[in-house]
């Protein structure tokens, strides 16, 4: 099967604080992988390296068969258009309405689109996260879960082929978490995306992931399907399932 | 002893690294002025916010400055029988020095800190990262527009402060003598020359540029965590105020050299 992301021996340290010590992984087209790991193990750092928000120290990161660690800044933008990133807190632009938040990436990447086309795209993206009524609100007026869904809508609007979800359900009640997990699955069906889903929420991992990977001490410690890992005797792994 | 020299070495190194970063940031920002897309709408929005935020403050301060300066200088000039020189003296001090510097300091307190806090918050909540991954350079959209807005607006605000300051001065003179505003202004402008106005204007442009730039730099380089938002705002004010005085010093020297 075709790999959309392939990471080899990725290493990253901040000063003397070594975070990643040789991460290897592959993400196939259409696959959902959940990444588990304790807080501070470098899950966010890993995903940020994939879109080069953080420069890694060594290793290879192939995205759509381009080694992004070697790329020029201009070329990176071409890759970034095809990769969506849902930030941990939604990262909505405070000074803009929801509508303007969604228009922002479109206006800057698809210059040929006219006003009504952009508006249709906004409506479609908001509908797919079920928040059309929030279109004219400011981010400050939204709840945490709504912010995440709007953040997701802003990611979806460019129809990315890969989506990196950084803790999509953290801090939400179980019902809303469930809805977001379902949403992730619906998005995959609708847009045929491949996803990396960082999560602590086992329910979310169970629903969304084809495969789970456990990050520990800068490396992947264990991997497998939800059921495989659940049966594991390893204490480190078992700790996530109770 | 060795520990101390080591510490000095480290802080000198840190200082040089920071200086290098600031220079790079400045050059990159200036570069964005000439790179498409030119975010005109955002520029207007920022300009509006800045003007709106500072106008009342600057008008009131300018007025009081002119008034107080006149009231305090008058007795001395009267002693020498030189009160006819009062308008000219006030005009020169306001337009050459007090107007620009007071306006710039107020803007440092109000605008630099505002930009520092805003960008710091955007950095901490990953909004700048979100922009970056959606293909928009935050340096272009967020920083360049703000720096450009302050560069354009601070000179205008200085002009307003000067005008209101002269008005205050006129009212102070008027308390004691029956002069018309026309006479007051003609006395004021008679003693002003081109060489008073030009350096002051150039200085104001630089003030504006650095007010925007330092606020942006401090916010843009905020570290992670909410407390760094407050820190960015705070250190933006301190650094911007310091830089204002340094620029002031430099322009005095330069205009002496060029126009004396
Ligand atoms: N820009 C940075 N500069 C310095 N250190 C950083 C930076 N980004 C992350 N770190 C450090 O890297 C480590 C991993 O951070 P990261 O945000 O990836 O954790 P995480 O696994 O996503 O945790 P969480 O589940 O809490 O989000 C932390 O110790 C953090 O302090
Ligand atoms: Mg994280």
């Amino acid at each position: 099967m075709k790999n959309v992301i392939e990471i080899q021996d990725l290493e990253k340290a901040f000063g003397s604080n070594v975070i990643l010590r040789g991460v290897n992984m592959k993400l196939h087209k259409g696959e959902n992988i959940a990444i588990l790991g304790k807080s501070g193990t470098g899950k966010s750092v890993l995903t940020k390296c994939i879109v080069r928000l953080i420069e890694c120290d060594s290793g290879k990161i192939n995205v759509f068969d381009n080694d992004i660690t070697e790329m020029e800044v201009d070329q990176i933008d071409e890759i970034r258009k095809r990769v969506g990133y849902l930030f941990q807190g939604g990262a909505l632009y405070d000074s803009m309405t929801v509508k303007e938040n969604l228009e922002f990436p479109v206006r800057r990447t698809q210059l040929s689109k006219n006003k009504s086309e952009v508006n249709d795209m906004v409506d479609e993206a908001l509908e797919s996260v079920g928040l059309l009524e929030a279109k004219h609100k400011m981010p400050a007026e939204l709840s945490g879960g709504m912010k995440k869904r709007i953040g997701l809508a802003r990611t979806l609007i460019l129809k990315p082929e890969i989506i990196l979800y950084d803790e999509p359900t953290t801090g939400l009640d179980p019902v809303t978490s469930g809805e977001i997990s379902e949403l992730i699955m619906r998005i995959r069906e609708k847009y045929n995306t491949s996803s990396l889903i960082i999560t602590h929420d086992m329910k979310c991992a169970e629903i969304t992931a084809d495969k789970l990977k456990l990050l520990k001490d800068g490396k992947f410690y264990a991997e497998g399907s939800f059921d495989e890992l659940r049966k594991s005797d390893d204490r480190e792994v078992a700790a996530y399932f109770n | 002893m060795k520990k101390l020299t080591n510490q000095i070495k480290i802080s000198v190194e840190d200082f040089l690294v920071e200086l290098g970063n600031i220079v790079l940031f400045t050059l990159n920002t200036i570069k964005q002025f000439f790179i498409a897309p030119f975010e005109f709408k955002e520029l207007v929005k920022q300009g509006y916010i800045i003007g709106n935020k500072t106008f009342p403050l600057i008008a009131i301060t300018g007025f009081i400055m002119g008034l107080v300066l006149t009231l305090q200088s008058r007795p001395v000039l009267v002693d020498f029988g030189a009160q006819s020189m009062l308008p000219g003296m006030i005009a020169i001090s306001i337009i050459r020095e007090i107007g620009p510097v007071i306006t710039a300091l107020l803007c440092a307190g109000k605008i630099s800190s505002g930009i520092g806090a805003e960008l710091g918050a955007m950095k901490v909540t990953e909004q700048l990262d979100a922009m970056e991954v959606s293909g928009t350079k935050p340096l272009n959209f967020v920083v360049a527009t703000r720096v450009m807005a302050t560069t354009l607006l601070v000179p205008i605000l200085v002009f307003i402060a000067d005008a209101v300051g002269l008005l205050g001065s006129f009212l102070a003179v008027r308390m004691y003598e029956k002069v018309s505003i026309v006479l007051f202004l003609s006395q004021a402008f008679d003693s002003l020359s081109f060489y008073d106005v030009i350096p002051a204007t150039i200085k104001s442009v630089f003030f504006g540029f650095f007010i925007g730039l330092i606020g942006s730099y401090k916010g843009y380089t905020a570290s992670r965590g909410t407390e760094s938002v407050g820190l960015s705002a705070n250190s933006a004010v301190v650094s911007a105020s310091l830089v204002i005085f340094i620029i002031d010093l430099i322009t005095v020297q330069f205009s002496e050299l060029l126009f004396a």
Side-chain angles (χ1 to χ4, degrees):
Chain A
M1 241 202 278
K2 203 166 167 271
N3 293 326
V4 284
I5 297 180
E6 193 173 345
I7 298 176
Q8 277 171 24
D9 300 323
L10 179 65
E11 290 178 14
K12 175 68 195 176
F14 293 103
S16 58
N17 184 9
V18 184
I19 310 290
L20 303 176
R21 319 167 182 256
V23 169
N24 290 288
M25 69 167 294
K26 287 176 183 145
L27 178 69
H28 299 310
K29 177 128 192 65
E31 187 181 35
N32 281 1
I33 294 184
I35 297 179
L36 310 173
K38 279 194 223 146
S39 192
T41 44
K43 303 179 303 293
S44 297
V45 170
L46 172 63
T47 44
K48 282 182 185 167
C49 285
I50 296 174
V51 285
R52 234 174 94 179
L53 277 175
I54 292 179
E55 302 276 342
C56 62
D57 298 335
S58 66
K60 262 194 172 150
I61 304 173
N62 279 323
V63 183
F64 305 119
D65 295 324
N66 301 288
D67 186 357
I68 62 137
T69 56
E70 311 252 291
M71 274 187 162
E72 295 293 321
V73 184
D74 310 347
Q75 297 169 298
I76 282 285
D77 280 345
E78 287 306 309
I79 300 290
R80 282 175 176 164
K81 276 180 203 168
R82 302 167 64 191
V83 182
Y85 196 122
L86 179 67
F87 286 87
Q88 213 163 331
L92 300 181
Y93 308 130
D94 294 326
S95 59
M96 304 180 199
T97 64
V98 166
K99 176 166 175 269
E100 288 164 338
N101 260 282
L102 267 69
E103 284 171 352
F104 192 87
V106 182
R107 283 271 160 79
R108 266 144 255 276
T109 48
Q110 309 187 358
L111 300 169
S112 58
K113 291 263 179 340
N114 68 29
K115 242 190 171 139
S116 78
E117 282 172 312
V118 174
N119 197 35
D120 290 345
M121 288 171 78
V122 170
D123 286 355
E124 189 197 333
L126 283 176
E127 244 160 38
S128 61
V129 299
L131 274 178
L132 194 54
E133 75 276 8
K135 191 172 171 186
H136 298 289
K137 291 212 166 107
M138 296 299 283
E141 300 170 62
L142 306 175
S143 70
M146 287 162 94
K147 278 186 194 161
K148 281 213 170 129
R149 282 195 282 170
I150 300 292
L152 189 50
R154 190 178 64 187
T155 309
L156 287 179
I157 201 165
L158 294 179
K159 310 239 156 69
E161 295 158 61
I162 302 175
I163 302 182
L164 310 173
Y165 296 92
D166 195 350
E167 306 197 6
T169 61
T170 306
L172 305 178
D173 64 89
V175 180
T176 316
S177 303
E179 281 171 15
I180 294 215
S181 306
E182 298 292 340
L183 187 57
I184 291 173
M185 294 311 283
R186 250 185 292 133
I187 287 165
R188 171 162 81 167
E189 270 162 41
K190 190 166 168 193
Y191 300 109
N192 191 25
T193 49
S194 326
S195 313
L196 278 187
I197 303 151
I198 298 177
T199 186
H200 303 286
D201 174 2
M202 295 315 288
K203 192 91 195 129
C204 170
E206 183 179 10
I207 296 172
T208 57
D210 304 312
K211 194 156 78 181
L212 283 70
K213 280 173 168 283
L214 173 59
L215 190 66
K216 181 172 178 292
D217 299 330
K219 282 185 177 165
F220 283 122
Y221 177 80
E223 70 168 79
S225 69
F226 188 84
D227 288 323
E228 280 163 18
L229 289 190
R230 181 161 51 188
K231 289 183 201 123
S232 165
D233 305 327
D234 193 315
R235 276 178 53 203
E236 293 288 343
V237 179
Y240 284 85
F241 289 85
N242 46 42
Chain B
M1 192 63 203
K2 200 159 178 201
K3 214 171 150 190
L4 187 71
T5 46
N6 244 344
Q7 248 166 21
I8 294 176
K9 209 175 120 197
I10 290 173
S11 39
V12 169
E13 254 175 36
D14 282 352
F15 173 75
L16 290 177
V17 169
E18 173 89 353
L19 195 69
N21 284 338
I22 292 176
V23 171
L24 260 180
F25 185 80
T26 311
L27 293 178
N28 281 332
T29 304
I30 294 175
K31 205 164 91 186
Q32 298 302 326
F33 289 173
F34 305 101
I35 292 179
F38 183 68
E39 305 284 353
F40 188 72
K41 226 172 124 187
E42 180 70 10
L43 175 67
V44 172
K45 185 174 158 192
Q46 290 308 322
Y48 175 77
I49 292 174
I50 292 167
N52 208 9
K53 244 185 180 170
T54 49
F55 178 77
L57 188 67
I58 280 170
I60 293 170
T61 318
F63 182 78
I64 295 175
M65 287 310 305
L67 193 85
V68 171
L69 197 64
T70 311
L71 289 180
Q72 293 201 331
S73 325
R74 194 168 178 282
V76 184
L77 290 179
V78 169
D79 282 349
F80 290 100
Q83 60 265 52
S84 65
M85 288 172 71
L86 190 59
M89 196 191 93
I90 300 292
I92 289 189
S93 21
I94 287 184
I95 288 172
R96 280 184 76 149
E97 185 62 24
I98 297 176
V101 171
I102 294 284
T103 309
L105 288 176
L106 288 175
C107 288
K110 194 103 187 159
I111 301 173
S112 243
S113 64
I115 294 178
E118 189 191 3
L119 266 66
M122 289 180 83
K123 167 88 175 201
V124 171
T125 57
E126 302 182 310
Q127 294 174 46
L128 296 179
D129 285 343
M131 255 179 216
E132 185 93 46
V133 288
S134 67
T136 302
K137 295 272 159 294
L139 213 52
N140 183 301
F141 182 81
V142 181
V143 176
T145 49
R146 278 167 181 73
V147 175
M148 213 182 262
T150 55
T151 311
L152 294 173
L153 269 162
V154 168
I156 297 174
L157 290 168
V158 168
F159 178 79
I160 293 170
D162 289 352
V164 180
L166 285 179
L167 181 71
S169 173
F170 167 71
L171 290 181
V173 171
R174 189 59 203 254
M175 287 181 202
Y176 297 94
E177 300 163 35
K178 272 222 152 335
V179 287
S180 69
I181 184 126
V182 179
L183 179 65
F184 174 85
L185 286 181
S186 74
Q187 275 178 344
F189 289 129
D190 258 357
S191 45
L192 273 180
S193 73
F194 205 53
Y195 303 122
D196 296 318
V197 179
I198 295 291
T201 310
I202 294 174
K203 181 156 88 176
S204 310
V205 172
F206 277 103
F207 288 162
F209 178 78
F210 282 101
I211 284 166
L213 187 85
I214 291 170
S216 303
Y217 176 77
K218 292 293 177 184
Y220 201 80
T221 53
S223 46
R224 300 137 39 84
T226 26
E227 78 276 22
S228 65
V229 177
L231 284 180
S232 331
N234 201 320
S235 68
V237 180
V238 176
S239 319
S241 310
L242 198 64
V243 168
I244 286 166
F245 286 116
I246 294 172
I247 296 172
D248 198 32
L249 191 68
I250 295 173
T251 38
V252 167
Q253 302 295 332
F254 258 96
S255 44
E256 286 289 302
L257 274 179
L258 289 174
F259 302 122

